[in-house]
Amino acid sequence: MIVEVGHFALALCLAVAIVQAVLPLVGAARGHAGLMRLAGHAACIQAALCLVAFAALTHAYLGSDFSVVNVVENSHSAKPLLYKITGVWGNHEGSLLLWLLILTLFGAAVALFGGNLPAQLRARVLAVQSMLGVGFLAFILFTSNPFTRTFPPPLDGQGLNPLLQDPGLAFHPPFLYLGYVGFSIAFAFAVAALIEGRVDAAWARWVRPWTLAAWTFLTIGIALGSWWAYYELGWGGWWFWDPVENASFMPWLAGTALVHSAVVVEKRDALKTWTVLLAILTFSLSLLGTFIVRSGVLNSVHAFATDPARGIFILGFLVLVVGGSLTLFAIRAPALRGGGSFRPVSREGGLVLNNLLLATATATVLVGTLYPLFLDAVTGEKVTVGPPYFNAVFVPLMVPLIAAMGIGPLLAWKRGDLAGALARLRLAIAVTVAAILLAIAMADTGAAGAALGLGLAAWLAAGTLTEWAERIRLFRAPPAESWRRAGHLPRAAWGMTVAHLGMAMLIAGITVSSTWSTEAQGLLARGGSLSAGPVAYRLDDVTEQRGANFDALSAEMTATWSDGSSDRLAPEQRRYTDPPMETTEAAIRPSLVADLYAVVGRPQEPGAARFAVRVYHKPMVSWIWLGSLVMALGGAISLTDRRHRVGAPAARRRGATDIGEQATA
């Protein structure tokens, strides 16, 4: 009965979504206050109905209701409770329901916290958001129903993919979807602004917190996915430019550009057209990721579906959303004139350069991701675009971007003094030179890459701290005054400082781990050892263990450092039966200095005394994820700035001119 309640809630939600997508637009066009107020009530009802549907599916998983096809295909009675819960979104149908739930919750948040938004803009934003909901509700109900029954029900289920039975994957999809779907609000604001015909500083102020929140969630989601790949797949790496990895990285790049371009709209009333376009493209890239994962065009450990019919539906929806919004943009954008002018050497100029480089980087990733799929669809030829391509075209774009990040915040708005900014960065330049020389002296191979990476990390960190010190007049004013200035700094300024420092940590972690990581592998008997870097790994024992729903070959290893200190490691090779699959559970001893990493494999012949062992010494690799989390913390701190609270004062908006007035001016 509960399953049917969930199904009915989804059907009713579709009806409410259609009403919300149509009537508020009519009300905004005619100035009908009642129809415009309807949007907020409908958005809250949609969220409540989706919550009921999601709770019903979760109840079916917790109760192992094997009369539901989705539960049969993705759960098992012996599965641990955590993975019964995460199994709800560890599949195509359930993940779509989670996506829809987050979409409706964001819509309800706009309805509840957007009280200071102009009534017409609020109604149009919620109507556009509901149009997206109509598309996903139709997709779920007509092609991907999570509540489909089966009769007679089997005695047990087929189980969840063992690769997904992991705490990292339990939280990775929700954060990823919060990022993906969060950009739908920026998209809705952009489309609503085009319909209404006005973009101004107040509009940018309303868009920024939603964009910043989505960017923060997406940063955490990508970091969790990378961390999972590092320790779960047993290959010692953290990023492989997989098409599905790229699908999440592209909206992150575009979203980063959007966060910065919205600043220019708010501060200088410039880049209006570009910012609206970025808002459209960022969410379009999120939809593209949905198509890649669920269309069956690729095989990946991340892919959810291989049904071409579903792919056609998503492709049609993608074409409708992206094509419709870009057509509206082409018609309305020419009249959105920017009001502020600025010199190339200025804070605005630095942000424009930031946007150009990020947009170009996004395009390079897009080409490398879609080209193999396009070629396969047209000619049937299989090609692979891997790390060599992305490293060759993406990394060079990041060099000037990071260089500009160190200088840009020190430039004044409208007209900056480049010589003056560089003069204030004297210490940062000295630190950068020292880091480059240190990298060259330490690197046996790859000295150029190490010098470049560490130099950029040092430049960004030192430049960021210099800008912060300039703000509080550190060492140029009495300590009490500097302390007072620090306390009165806007939280957005603190957030920028923290986020840029996180980026510096990320670059340092990538550089050091890529340059100085060492690896060793071999067939070891009990008591045998391998050395990687300054660490000797000894295989002490190997035993068979029984887990909750798997059998494991468990090894005990001792890692001894050159100074005599040691650590214990316990890698495993697991064999699941429901569904049948073997997984590698790497043993990792993380630290800020270096990670110890060990993997054990089953012998090639049953009963053999030698085991395949692979060990790594990975210096500073943890800085990659620590830096990512620090970046996300910077975004969260910025969100607490009172200027970013949803709903800027309406008075700020009254001075805006509509599109007709701009055209005749």
Side-chain angles (χ1 to χ4, degrees):
M1 179 64 182
I2 293 179
V3 171
E4 280 67 34
V5 169
H7 192 184
F8 178 73
L10 276 184
L12 186 58
C13 188
L14 176 59
V16 174
I18 293 172
V19 171
Q20 182 183 332
V22 176
L23 294 185
L25 282 181
V26 175
R30 297 181 177 179
H32 193 291
L35 292 179
M36 288 190 286
R37 284 196 300 270
L38 176 65
H41 300 308
C44 294
I45 293 172
Q46 272 200 73
L49 290 171
C50 281
L51 191 60
V52 169
F54 191 81
L57 185 60
T58 303
H59 180 271
Y61 269 85
L62 293 178
S64 295
D65 185 354
F66 297 120
S67 68
V68 180
V69 173
N70 188 262
V71 179
V72 173
E73 294 178 345
N74 300 284
S75 190
H76 190 276
S77 58
K79 196 167 63 172
L81 177 62
L82 173 63
Y83 303 129
K84 285 186 178 181
I85 297 173
T86 60
V88 176
W89 56 79
N91 59 88
H92 171 72
E93 293 83 0
S95 66
L96 276 176
L97 186 57
L98 176 62
W99 176 293
L100 181 65
L101 174 64
I102 295 173
L103 185 73
T104 57
L105 288 175
F106 268 108
V110 173
L112 294 174
F113 302 115
N116 285 344
L117 288 168
Q120 289 181 321
L121 178 63
R122 181 170 175 265
R124 288 181 172 123
V125 168
L126 291 174
V128 173
Q129 184 80 352
S130 189
M131 290 178 188
L132 299 173
V134 169
F136 279 100
L137 280 162
F139 184 39
I140 291 176
L141 288 170
F142 300 130
T143 73
S144 309
N145 191 344
F147 298 109
T148 302
R149 294 278 197 177
T150 183
F151 187 83
L155 295 177
D156 218 329
Q158 300 172 14
L160 178 67
N161 184 339
L163 289 175
L164 304 180
Q165 296 186 39
D166 181 88
L169 258 290
F171 303 104
H172 165 60
F175 276 104
L176 207 61
Y177 293 171
L178 284 166
Y180 279 156
V181 181
F183 287 126
S184 69
I185 300 296
F187 172 85
F189 267 96
V191 173
L194 290 172
I195 295 173
E196 187 172 316
R198 60 174 71 188
V199 174
D200 52 22
W203 176 88
R205 179 172 293 186
W206 288 314
V207 168
R208 280 181 66 191
W210 300 107
T211 305
L212 197 55
W215 179 88
T216 301
F217 285 128
L218 189 56
T219 301
I220 297 173
I222 293 174
L224 286 174
S226 171
W227 181 53
W228 168 81
Y230 170 70
Y231 73 80
E232 177 66 22
L233 300 183
W235 62 302
W238 53 273
W239 191 266
F240 194 66
W241 296 103
D242 179 274
V244 181
E245 293 174 335
N246 297 346
S248 62
F249 190 43
M250 288 185 290
W252 185 88
L253 289 170
T256 304
L258 178 59
V259 168
H260 290 85
S261 67
V263 175
V264 182
V265 178
E266 180 181 352
K267 300 292 186 182
R268 299 295 304 149
D269 198 31
L271 299 186
K272 294 179 181 179
T273 303
W274 171 246
T275 303
V276 170
L277 179 61
L278 262 183
I280 293 172
L281 294 179
T282 301
F283 182 64
S284 298
L285 289 170
S286 296
L287 290 181
L288 178 63
T290 303
F291 170 73
I292 290 175
V293 174
R294 305 172 197 283
S295 62
V297 299
L298 59 85
N299 292 316
S300 167
V301 295
H302 308 81
F304 277 121
T306 57
D307 184 356
R310 292 172 175 175
I312 292 173
F313 188 104
I314 299 176
L315 182 60
F317 182 61
L318 179 66
V319 170
L320 181 63
V321 172
V322 179
S325 57
L326 290 180
T327 300
L328 178 63
F329 175 81
I331 295 171
R332 305 287 282 175
L336 298 178
R337 300 177 183 175
S341 60
F342 53 88
R343 294 287 183 88
V345 178
S346 62
R347 180 78 66 88
E348 299 95 322
L351 293 172
V352 169
L353 178 63
N354 160 293
N355 270 232
L356 289 175
L357 292 170
L358 285 171
T360 306
T362 305
T364 62
V365 177
L366 180 66
V367 170
T369 303
L370 295 186
Y371 176 73
L373 306 180
F374 176 78
L375 192 64
D376 184 23
V378 174
T379 68
E381 183 180 353
K382 302 287 185 181
V383 299
T384 300
V385 176
Y389 161 80
F390 292 104
N391 293 338
V393 300
F394 181 82
V395 174
L397 291 170
M398 294 299 100
V399 174
L401 176 65
I402 303 303
M405 287 174 65
I407 301 174
L410 286 167
L411 295 175
W413 292 101
K414 193 173 182 179
R415 180 182 300 175
D417 179 7
L418 182 59
L422 290 174
R424 286 177 284 172
L425 288 167
R426 289 190 299 270
L427 180 59
I429 293 172
V431 171
T432 302
V433 172
I436 292 173
L437 294 177
L438 179 64
I440 294 174
M442 293 181 60
D444 297 327
T445 59
L452 178 63
L454 282 184
L456 287 174
W459 166 255
L460 180 56
T464 299
L465 292 175
T466 298
E467 190 271 342
W468 174 79
E470 287 285 328
R471 282 178 177 267
I472 66 171
R473 297 181 60 82
L474 188 65
F475 306 128
R476 293 192 298 149
E481 182 181 344
S482 294
W483 181 260
R484 180 183 59 80
R485 285 176 173 269
H488 286 86
L489 274 182
R491 291 183 183 177
W494 278 105
M496 180 194 72
T497 299
V498 172
H500 285 193
L501 289 175
M503 175 62 77
M505 294 174 64
L506 173 67
I507 296 169
I510 292 173
T511 302
V512 173
S513 63
S514 299
T515 304
W516 285 282
S517 288
T518 52
E519 172 188 357
Q521 57 184 335
L523 294 173
L524 297 184
R526 291 174 176 84
S529 64
L530 287 170
S531 293
V535 183
Y537 297 81
R538 185 181 71 244
L539 181 62
D540 297 324
D541 195 11
V542 180
T543 58
E544 294 283 349
Q545 304 286 340
R546 176 65 183 170
N549 59 337
F550 59 86
D551 294 316
L553 181 75
S554 181
E556 295 180 9
M557 301 183 68
T558 300
T560 304
W561 293 81
S562 55
D563 63 1
S565 61
S566 63
D567 290 289
R568 302 286 294 174
L569 299 173
E572 290 184 348
Q573 188 77 15
R574 294 180 178 178
R575 179 175 290 153
Y576 291 81
T577 55
D578 298 299
M581 180 182 289
E582 287 202 6
T583 66
T584 298
E585 301 295 321
I588 304 173
R589 184 71 63 193
S591 75
L592 292 178
V593 177
D595 279 16
L596 306 183
Y597 190 108
V599 175
V600 66
R602 295 183 183 274
Q604 294 183 350
E605 298 179 3
R610 288 179 174 272
F611 303 87
V613 176
R614 189 168 69 254
V615 295
Y616 300 87
H617 175 258
K618 305 185 76 65
M620 287 180 61
V621 70
S622 296
W623 285 48
I624 295 173
W625 301 288
L626 182 60
S628 300
L629 294 180
V630 171
M631 290 169 62
L633 176 63
I637 292 173
S638 292
L639 278 172
T640 64
D641 194 311
R642 61 183 180 83
R643 297 174 302 172
H644 288 169
R645 292 174 187 166
V646 177
R652 291 290 304 274
R653 190 171 171 80
R654 294 192 188 113
T657 56
D658 65 22
I659 203 166
E661 291 171 347
Q662 291 178 5
T664 57

